[in-house]
Amino acid sequence: MAYDGILLGMGNPLLDISAVVDEGFLERYDVKLNNAILAEEKHLPMYDELATKYDVEATQNSIRVAQWMLQIPGATSYIGCVGKDKFGEVMKKSSHAAGVNVQYDEDETAPTGTCAVCVVGGERSLIANLSAANCYKVEHLEIEKAKYIYIAGFFLTVSPASIQLVSEHAAATNKVFSMNLSAPFICEFFREAQEKAMPYVDFLFGNETEARTFSKVHGWETDDVPEIALKISQLPKVSSTRKRIAVITQGADPVVVAEDGKVSLFPVILLPKEKLVDTNGAGDAFVGGFLSQLIQEKPIEECVRAGCYAANVIIQRSGCTYPEKPDFH
């Protein structure tokens, strides 16, 4: 099979500013753990405070992890918008070094977006300041080559028009289109854009908190994750070529996969608490591992196993980083 450019990721390229902070820091900026939000005015001083003290690293985590798992040069690409600045250059260098072919839309008016990753006791909170990522233009799209397309739900806040174009293209050309719920606030406040994209989604990823929020927003009156996954998999779909598969992670609890009216549970690799360094990027890594096998047309249980392996590696390291080569067989 030809792997060149087979997997395309779209989203918000943000430079992570990752830091172990204390409860006082969270209180000062009114931030809750295990959450992901968009920055408001009150959060902006946080970025300078963190950037002067801590390391920065590039995101595009899912696609980077898929590329790492694959070890096939040029198999993955990524599009999004960055600023014409130092952070934008860092993003480019880091992605190319990881083997991801990034094709950025560059905006001259806004700086490259950043994401504050605040870690307390191994749990994380994300506060995204989109800046240039918010400026992505539909005319920049180049999607012909890819056979599998993955878009983070966060992109619904930036360019629903791009998502619509890509999802319709995927349905018309029989490409595999996948999305992520990404965060509770996406399900709550970007419901309309999410509902427009959903009929095109072949694989829907999320975690248990996002799934429960999705259920509440849709008035389903159930907190049961397997039941919610099943309902998501059975939502109306444009193309009948393949049925939707919903894949919901639950931290240390089993991964829930709903497909064709059935629910399967897959145990994760359990990790002793003392080995947990940082949960940031665990969900992204799971998706990256999963996609790395999906594009090789492996069975779902292999995709889940690869997702669990990648997430397990990531949570034992700081940030979304990994060893030189995967040890996955």
Side-chain angles (χ1 to χ4, degrees), residues 266-288:
F266 297 91
V268 301
I269 308 159
L270 291 175
L271 190 70
K273 184 80 172 148
E274 62 273 13
K275 283 194 167 179
L276 174 69
V277 175
D278 178 0
T279 57
N280 181 41
D284 290 342
F286 175 86
V287 172

PDB file of all heavy atoms in Angstrom, residues 266-288:
ATOM      1  N   PHE A 266     -12.485  -2.685  26.047  1.00  0.00           N
ATOM      2  CA  PHE A 266     -11.088  -3.124  25.931  1.00  0.00           C
ATOM      3  C   PHE A 266     -10.297  -2.566  27.112  1.00  0.00           C
ATOM      4  O   PHE A 266     -10.219  -1.344  27.272  1.00  0.00           O
ATOM      5  CB  PHE A 266     -10.473  -2.619  24.622  1.00  0.00           C
ATOM      6  CG  PHE A 266     -11.145  -3.169  23.392  1.00  0.00           C
ATOM      7  CD1 PHE A 266     -12.203  -2.486  22.799  1.00  0.00           C
ATOM      8  CD2 PHE A 266     -10.729  -4.369  22.823  1.00  0.00           C
ATOM      9  CE1 PHE A 266     -12.831  -2.979  21.659  1.00  0.00           C
ATOM     10  CE2 PHE A 266     -11.352  -4.877  21.683  1.00  0.00           C
ATOM     11  CZ  PHE A 266     -12.403  -4.185  21.100  1.00  0.00           C
ATOM     12  N   PRO A 267      -9.714  -3.434  27.943  1.00  0.00           N
ATOM     13  CA  PRO A 267      -8.960  -2.933  29.099  1.00  0.00           C
ATOM     14  C   PRO A 267      -7.727  -2.145  28.654  1.00  0.00           C
ATOM     15  O   PRO A 267      -7.156  -2.430  27.594  1.00  0.00           O
ATOM     16  CB  PRO A 267      -8.554  -4.203  29.857  1.00  0.00           C
ATOM     17  CG  PRO A 267      -8.688  -5.310  28.867  1.00  0.00           C
ATOM     18  CD  PRO A 267      -9.710  -4.896  27.857  1.00  0.00           C
ATOM     19  N   VAL A 268      -7.367  -1.138  29.446  1.00  0.00           N
ATOM     20  CA  VAL A 268      -6.152  -0.361  29.138  1.00  0.00           C
ATOM     21  C   VAL A 268      -4.982  -0.981  29.895  1.00  0.00           C
ATOM     22  O   VAL A 268      -5.170  -1.861  30.742  1.00  0.00           O
ATOM     23  CB  VAL A 268      -6.307   1.133  29.528  1.00  0.00           C
ATOM     24  CG1 VAL A 268      -7.476   1.756  28.793  1.00  0.00           C
ATOM     25  CG2 VAL A 268      -6.476   1.310  31.027  1.00  0.00           C
ATOM     26  N   ILE A 269      -3.771  -0.524  29.579  1.00  0.00           N
ATOM     27  CA  ILE A 269      -2.584  -1.002  30.296  1.00  0.00           C
ATOM     28  C   ILE A 269      -2.525  -0.217  31.598  1.00  0.00           C
ATOM     29  O   ILE A 269      -2.372   1.012  31.583  1.00  0.00           O
ATOM     30  CB  ILE A 269      -1.305  -0.735  29.462  1.00  0.00           C
ATOM     31  CG1 ILE A 269      -1.463  -1.293  28.044  1.00  0.00           C
ATOM     32  CG2 ILE A 269      -0.076  -1.304  30.154  1.00  0.00           C
ATOM     33  CD1 ILE A 269      -0.522  -0.677  27.023  1.00  0.00           C
ATOM     34  N   LEU A 270      -2.697  -0.906  32.725  1.00  0.00           N
ATOM     35  CA  LEU A 270      -2.731  -0.178  34.004  1.00  0.00           C
ATOM     36  C   LEU A 270      -1.324   0.246  34.414  1.00  0.00           C
ATOM     37  O   LEU A 270      -0.348  -0.458  34.173  1.00  0.00           O
ATOM     38  CB  LEU A 270      -3.384  -1.032  35.078  1.00  0.00           C
ATOM     39  CG  LEU A 270      -4.894  -1.251  34.869  1.00  0.00           C
ATOM     40  CD1 LEU A 270      -5.460  -2.209  35.901  1.00  0.00           C
ATOM     41  CD2 LEU A 270      -5.654   0.074  34.897  1.00  0.00           C
ATOM     42  N   LEU A 271      -1.256   1.407  35.031  1.00  0.00           N
ATOM     43  CA  LEU A 271       0.029   1.991  35.405  1.00  0.00           C
ATOM     44  C   LEU A 271       0.010   2.333  36.886  1.00  0.00           C
ATOM     45  O   LEU A 271      -0.929   2.981  37.360  1.00  0.00           O
ATOM     46  CB  LEU A 271       0.235   3.280  34.579  1.00  0.00           C
ATOM     47  CG  LEU A 271       1.597   3.951  34.621  1.00  0.00           C
ATOM     48  CD1 LEU A 271       2.626   3.110  33.880  1.00  0.00           C
ATOM     49  CD2 LEU A 271       1.517   5.340  34.002  1.00  0.00           C
ATOM     50  N   PRO A 272       1.043   1.917  37.645  1.00  0.00           N
ATOM     51  CA  PRO A 272       1.084   2.320  39.060  1.00  0.00           C
ATOM     52  C   PRO A 272       1.142   3.850  39.164  1.00  0.00           C
ATOM     53  O   PRO A 272       1.815   4.494  38.349  1.00  0.00           O
ATOM     54  CB  PRO A 272       2.382   1.690  39.586  1.00  0.00           C
ATOM     55  CG  PRO A 272       2.868   0.769  38.519  1.00  0.00           C
ATOM     56  CD  PRO A 272       2.196   1.134  37.239  1.00  0.00           C
ATOM     57  N   LYS A 273       0.436   4.404  40.156  1.00  0.00           N
ATOM     58  CA  LYS A 273       0.314   5.870  40.311  1.00  0.00           C
ATOM     59  C   LYS A 273       1.689   6.553  40.311  1.00  0.00           C
ATOM     60  O   LYS A 273       1.859   7.634  39.751  1.00  0.00           O
ATOM     61  CB  LYS A 273      -0.453   6.166  41.612  1.00  0.00           C
ATOM     62  CG  LYS A 273      -0.753   7.626  41.873  1.00  0.00           C
ATOM     63  CD  LYS A 273      -1.945   8.148  41.101  1.00  0.00           C
ATOM     64  CE  LYS A 273      -2.304   9.553  41.552  1.00  0.00           C
ATOM     65  NZ  LYS A 273      -2.858  10.408  40.546  1.00  0.00           N
ATOM     66  N   GLU A 274       2.685   5.891  40.913  1.00  0.00           N
ATOM     67  CA  GLU A 274       4.004   6.548  41.016  1.00  0.00           C
ATOM     68  C   GLU A 274       4.703   6.697  39.655  1.00  0.00           C
ATOM     69  O   GLU A 274       5.651   7.464  39.520  1.00  0.00           O
ATOM     70  CB  GLU A 274       4.921   5.819  42.020  1.00  0.00           C
ATOM     71  CG  GLU A 274       5.284   4.379  41.692  1.00  0.00           C
ATOM     72  CD  GLU A 274       4.248   3.365  42.205  1.00  0.00           C
ATOM     73  OE1 GLU A 274       3.133   3.771  42.594  1.00  0.00           O
ATOM     74  OE2 GLU A 274       4.573   2.165  42.195  1.00  0.00           O
ATOM     75  N   LYS A 275       4.230   5.947  38.650  1.00  0.00           N
ATOM     76  CA  LYS A 275       4.843   6.062  37.320  1.00  0.00           C
ATOM     77  C   LYS A 275       4.154   7.116  36.458  1.00  0.00           C
ATOM     78  O   LYS A 275       4.630   7.467  35.382  1.00  0.00           O
ATOM     79  CB  LYS A 275       4.795   4.716  36.593  1.00  0.00           C
ATOM     80  CG  LYS A 275       5.836   3.736  37.087  1.00  0.00           C
ATOM     81  CD  LYS A 275       5.967   2.576  36.116  1.00  0.00           C
ATOM     82  CE  LYS A 275       7.207   1.757  36.405  1.00  0.00           C
ATOM     83  NZ  LYS A 275       7.304   0.625  35.471  1.00  0.00           N
ATOM     84  N   LEU A 276       3.003   7.613  36.929  1.00  0.00           N
ATOM     85  CA  LEU A 276       2.256   8.624  36.169  1.00  0.00           C
ATOM     86  C   LEU A 276       2.963   9.969  36.303  1.00  0.00           C
ATOM     87  O   LEU A 276       3.141  10.477  37.407  1.00  0.00           O
ATOM     88  CB  LEU A 276       0.820   8.730  36.709  1.00  0.00           C
ATOM     89  CG  LEU A 276      -0.033   9.846  36.121  1.00  0.00           C
ATOM     90  CD1 LEU A 276      -0.360   9.572  34.665  1.00  0.00           C
ATOM     91  CD2 LEU A 276      -1.318  10.027  36.916  1.00  0.00           C
ATOM     92  N   VAL A 277       3.401  10.525  35.163  1.00  0.00           N
ATOM     93  CA  VAL A 277       4.107  11.810  35.191  1.00  0.00           C
ATOM     94  C   VAL A 277       3.157  12.937  34.789  1.00  0.00           C
ATOM     95  O   VAL A 277       3.094  13.975  35.434  1.00  0.00           O
ATOM     96  CB  VAL A 277       5.332  11.770  34.240  1.00  0.00           C
ATOM     97  CG1 VAL A 277       6.008  13.137  34.162  1.00  0.00           C
ATOM     98  CG2 VAL A 277       6.325  10.720  34.713  1.00  0.00           C
ATOM     99  N   ASP A 278       2.376  12.718  33.722  1.00  0.00           N
ATOM    100  CA  ASP A 278       1.621  13.826  33.146  1.00  0.00           C
ATOM    101  C   ASP A 278       0.564  13.268  32.185  1.00  0.00           C
ATOM    102  O   ASP A 278       0.895  12.608  31.215  1.00  0.00           O
ATOM    103  CB  ASP A 278       2.641  14.713  32.400  1.00  0.00           C
ATOM    104  CG  ASP A 278       2.031  15.899  31.679  1.00  0.00           C
ATOM    105  OD1 ASP A 278       0.803  16.063  31.741  1.00  0.00           O
ATOM    106  OD2 ASP A 278       2.796  16.653  31.055  1.00  0.00           O
ATOM    107  N   THR A 279      -0.725  13.519  32.477  1.00  0.00           N
ATOM    108  CA  THR A 279      -1.787  12.986  31.596  1.00  0.00           C
ATOM    109  C   THR A 279      -1.987  13.824  30.339  1.00  0.00           C
ATOM    110  O   THR A 279      -2.756  13.450  29.457  1.00  0.00           O
ATOM    111  CB  THR A 279      -3.144  12.908  32.345  1.00  0.00           C
ATOM    112  OG1 THR A 279      -3.473  14.220  32.829  1.00  0.00           O
ATOM    113  CG2 THR A 279      -3.098  11.914  33.483  1.00  0.00           C
ATOM    114  N   ASN A 280      -1.289  14.969  30.249  1.00  0.00           N
ATOM    115  CA  ASN A 280      -1.455  15.810  29.053  1.00  0.00           C
ATOM    116  C   ASN A 280      -1.049  15.035  27.798  1.00  0.00           C
ATOM    117  O   ASN A 280       0.019  14.454  27.728  1.00  0.00           O
ATOM    118  CB  ASN A 280      -0.600  17.079  29.172  1.00  0.00           C
ATOM    119  CG  ASN A 280      -0.779  17.961  27.960  1.00  0.00           C
ATOM    120  OD1 ASN A 280      -1.896  18.129  27.460  1.00  0.00           O
ATOM    121  ND2 ASN A 280       0.304  18.516  27.456  1.00  0.00           N
ATOM    122  N   GLY A 281      -1.927  15.024  26.807  1.00  0.00           N
ATOM    123  CA  GLY A 281      -1.599  14.348  25.549  1.00  0.00           C
ATOM    124  C   GLY A 281      -2.009  12.882  25.520  1.00  0.00           C
ATOM    125  O   GLY A 281      -1.863  12.221  24.496  1.00  0.00           O
ATOM    126  N   ALA A 282      -2.550  12.355  26.647  1.00  0.00           N
ATOM    127  CA  ALA A 282      -2.913  10.928  26.674  1.00  0.00           C
ATOM    128  C   ALA A 282      -4.012  10.624  25.657  1.00  0.00           C
ATOM    129  O   ALA A 282      -3.920   9.656  24.898  1.00  0.00           O
ATOM    130  CB  ALA A 282      -3.367  10.525  28.073  1.00  0.00           C
ATOM    131  N   GLY A 283      -5.047  11.456  25.629  1.00  0.00           N
ATOM    132  CA  GLY A 283      -6.155  11.252  24.676  1.00  0.00           C
ATOM    133  C   GLY A 283      -5.697  11.389  23.241  1.00  0.00           C
ATOM    134  O   GLY A 283      -6.048  10.592  22.362  1.00  0.00           O
ATOM    135  N   ASP A 284      -4.863  12.415  23.002  1.00  0.00           N
ATOM    136  CA  ASP A 284      -4.306  12.635  21.660  1.00  0.00           C
ATOM    137  C   ASP A 284      -3.454  11.446  21.233  1.00  0.00           C
ATOM    138  O   ASP A 284      -3.503  11.000  20.087  1.00  0.00           O
ATOM    139  CB  ASP A 284      -3.414  13.884  21.630  1.00  0.00           C
ATOM    140  CG  ASP A 284      -4.218  15.164  21.781  1.00  0.00           C
ATOM    141  OD1 ASP A 284      -5.441  15.129  21.563  1.00  0.00           O
ATOM    142  OD2 ASP A 284      -3.620  16.205  22.121  1.00  0.00           O
ATOM    143  N   ALA A 285      -2.646  10.946  22.177  1.00  0.00           N
ATOM    144  CA  ALA A 285      -1.754   9.826  21.876  1.00  0.00           C
ATOM    145  C   ALA A 285      -2.567   8.578  21.556  1.00  0.00           C
ATOM    146  O   ALA A 285      -2.219   7.816  20.646  1.00  0.00           O
ATOM    147  CB  ALA A 285      -0.811   9.561  23.048  1.00  0.00           C
ATOM    148  N   PHE A 286      -3.657   8.377  22.304  1.00  0.00           N
ATOM    149  CA  PHE A 286      -4.518   7.225  22.026  1.00  0.00           C
ATOM    150  C   PHE A 286      -5.018   7.287  20.576  1.00  0.00           C
ATOM    151  O   PHE A 286      -4.947   6.310  19.837  1.00  0.00           O
ATOM    152  CB  PHE A 286      -5.718   7.185  22.999  1.00  0.00           C
ATOM    153  CG  PHE A 286      -6.690   6.091  22.664  1.00  0.00           C
ATOM    154  CD1 PHE A 286      -6.507   4.806  23.153  1.00  0.00           C
ATOM    155  CD2 PHE A 286      -7.768   6.325  21.812  1.00  0.00           C
ATOM    156  CE1 PHE A 286      -7.375   3.772  22.803  1.00  0.00           C
ATOM    157  CE2 PHE A 286      -8.643   5.303  21.451  1.00  0.00           C
ATOM    158  CZ  PHE A 286      -8.449   4.020  21.951  1.00  0.00           C
ATOM    159  N   VAL A 287      -5.503   8.465  20.167  1.00  0.00           N
ATOM    160  CA  VAL A 287      -6.015   8.631  18.801  1.00  0.00           C
ATOM    161  C   VAL A 287      -4.904   8.383  17.781  1.00  0.00           C
ATOM    162  O   VAL A 287      -5.101   7.702  16.775  1.00  0.00           O
ATOM    163  CB  VAL A 287      -6.629  10.041  18.600  1.00  0.00           C
ATOM    164  CG1 VAL A 287      -6.979  10.288  17.133  1.00  0.00           C
ATOM    165  CG2 VAL A 287      -7.871  10.201  19.470  1.00  0.00           C
ATOM    166  N   GLY A 288      -3.707   8.918  18.051  1.00  0.00           N
ATOM    167  CA  GLY A 288      -2.573   8.735  17.140  1.00  0.00           C
ATOM    168  C   GLY A 288      -2.217   7.269  16.966  1.00  0.00           C
ATOM    169  O   GLY A 288      -2.005   6.781  15.848  1.00  0.00           O
TER     170      GLY A 288
END
